[in-house]
Amino acid sequence: MKTINYYTLALGLLGAAKLILDAFGMNIITDETANAIANGVAALLSVIGVYTNHQKVE
């Protein structure tokens, strides 16, 4: 069974939406906004990764 990585899926859809909107001349999602969202998700995943890797297995 395949598992879906929703974080990368969401970022990919954000990038696709930006490209589509830019193609139609609508600059709703700026590069700075997309970068800020991606950086926020990366920071959150880094904290979660550190936390889950340091739990004791009993």
Side-chain angles (χ1 to χ4, degrees):
M1 182 177 188
K2 293 184 182 181
T3 59
I4 298 173
N5 188 340
Y6 290 106
Y7 298 111
T8 56
L9 177 63
L11 292 176
L13 291 174
L14 176 68
K18 180 182 178 352
L19 288 174
I20 292 169
L21 290 172
D22 285 350
F24 287 104
M26 294 185 276
N27 194 8
I28 297 171
I29 304 171
T30 63
D31 288 340
E32 292 81 17
T33 303
N35 287 337
I37 293 170
N39 288 339
V41 170
L44 180 66
L45 291 177
S46 296
V47 170
I48 291 171
V50 168
Y51 175 75
T52 58
N53 285 334
H54 287 88
Q55 290 181 342
K56 290 183 180 179
V57 178
E58 295 181 26

